[in-house]
Amino acid sequence: DARSDSRTKPIKAEIEAEGFRSMVLVPLKVGSPPLGNLVLYFDRELDLSEDEISALRTYAGLAAIAIKNTRLVSATRSHATNLEILDEIARAINSTLDLSELFRITVEQVKRAVPCERCSLYKVDSDKSDIKRLHAADDVPGRTERLIPASLKETIFERLLETRAPAYQPDIRKDPHPTRQLLAAEGIRAIINVPIWIDDKCAGFLNIMSSEVDAYRKDHIELLRSLANHLGLAMKNAELYAQAKETGERLDKFVRGASDGIVTLDLEGRITP
């Protein structure tokens, strides 16, 4: 009698409203833990035979196998898709050595690969005392761009330096931090903050935001983590290129402005043209 059984107390009102009298719950098991339950409702009192119970267990077992296989296929397809997306993004961000263009391309590619309404890149200075925005994109027209905190102290970013892992908040309305509450007031709900590491140092953060509660899955977070690794390498290459270019320009300026003659020698001391 489902109406009087203490185990059905949480759904007693629904049972009575629908006129059900009996219920059968059979766990969907392939290993442990169960994937769920096969639930049957009856409008009369029921007394199942052992054969009927055995048949239900068989059906539940077959259903569990089908569900698990479907999940495996789905996970495999999702993983393959993520690898394709990551490869395409990696090729895109490795196509330039200009930092400004690199950040623009990264934000553009992230917004294409992960459902979000706001995407931004922040850079951490060398001593990790403050941050600045590098590039941001927002799908909501007219939304006022807020100033980011000048210091990492007592922010989510400070915690990321310790954990070294992405931080996901499915609903920032539950976070009392003033910055999160400001974002919540703007309609933001779910946020992923991903640290970008270069040579074991945090170089910045990739931030993804959505107006949907719990908008992101584990594969989204893993994709962004992998992307951050590619971005860190691309940032390092771009910075090395910028330094080499600056050094070359200084040398060129020095040589062109020198009043004395300048010659270059090879490793054996011979003058080179």
Side-chain angles (χ1 to χ4, degrees):
D1 188 346
R3 296 171 300 176
S4 60
D5 194 305
S6 61
R7 293 172 296 179
T8 62
K9 186 176 180 180
I11 58 172
K12 184 177 180 180
E14 289 83 350
I15 290 174
E16 292 180 345
E18 295 290 344
F20 295 132
R21 296 290 299 277
S22 300
M23 293 175 59
V24 180
L25 290 86
V26 190
L28 303 173
K29 294 188 67 174
V30 181
S32 182
L35 301 177
N37 292 291
L38 171 63
V39 186
L40 295 87
Y41 300 88
F42 300 88
D43 59 4
R44 64 189 185 280
E45 291 186 8
L46 194 66
D47 185 14
L48 293 177
S49 68
E50 286 299 323
D51 288 342
E52 290 171 323
I53 293 174
S54 177
L56 287 174
R57 284 178 175 152
T58 300
Y59 297 150
L62 293 172
I65 292 172
I67 292 171
K68 186 171 183 178
N69 289 341
T70 300
R71 288 181 176 178
L72 288 173
V73 170
S74 178
T76 301
R77 288 176 177 171
S78 177
H79 182 65
T81 300
N82 282 347
L83 288 178
E84 292 174 2
I85 292 173
L86 184 60
D87 178 65
E88 189 172 343
I89 292 176
R91 284 189 283 108
I93 64 178
N94 288 328
S95 66
T96 179
L97 289 172
D98 179 77
L99 276 174
S100 297
E101 181 67 6
L102 171 64
F103 300 139
R104 185 195 67 77
I105 290 174
T106 299
V107 170
E108 178 183 281
Q109 292 295 322
V110 168
K111 283 178 61 62
R112 185 182 65 82
V114 179
C116 65
E117 291 160 11
R118 183 184 295 183
C119 177
S120 59
L121 271 167
Y122 294 166
K123 182 176 174 61
V124 181
D125 75 350
S126 57
D127 61 6
K128 300 184 179 64
S129 63
D130 58 58
I131 55 180
K132 66 178 181 178
R133 179 182 286 111
L134 297 174
H135 195 85
D138 196 327
D139 286 349
V140 180
R143 180 150 56 191
T144 303
E145 185 175 293
R146 295 182 306 101
L147 293 175
I148 65 171
S151 173
L152 293 174
K153 189 174 178 59
E154 297 181 352
T155 66
I156 183 68
F157 303 114
E158 185 179 43
R159 297 200 297 271
L160 290 181
L161 295 179
E162 299 174 0
T163 64
R164 301 175 64 92
Y168 175 40
Q169 289 183 286
D171 189 351
I172 62 171
R173 291 175 298 182
K174 299 177 181 179
D175 188 336
H177 195 281
T179 303
R180 286 321 203 211
Q181 291 303 305
L182 283 173
L183 288 170
E186 295 175 356
I188 297 298
R189 294 294 177 263
I191 294 181
I192 306 175
N193 300 109
V194 188
I196 302 168
W197 295 88
I198 300 177
D199 296 335
D200 207 39
K201 294 182 180 179
C202 184
F205 303 97
L206 175 62
N207 312 293
I208 310 297
M209 308 181 193
S210 172
S211 62
E212 299 292 330
V213 174
D214 201 11
Y216 301 109
R217 305 184 305 269
K218 183 179 179 180
D219 59 309
H220 289 138
I221 298 172
E222 290 305 312
L223 176 64
L224 292 171
R225 186 202 296 264
S226 298
L227 171 59
N229 292 335
H230 283 281
L231 180 58
L233 180 60
M235 288 173 64
K236 180 179 179 179
N237 291 338
E239 289 175 351
L240 288 175
Y241 173 76
Q243 292 172 7
K245 184 178 179 182
E246 182 182 356
T247 300
E249 290 174 348
R250 284 205 308 268
L251 287 174
D252 183 68
K253 184 177 181 180
F254 172 76
V255 170
R256 292 179 183 276
S259 57
D260 297 323
I262 297 176
V263 296
T264 58
L265 308 177
D266 62 19
L267 295 178
E268 296 182 0
R270 295 173 298 191
I271 297 176
T272 60

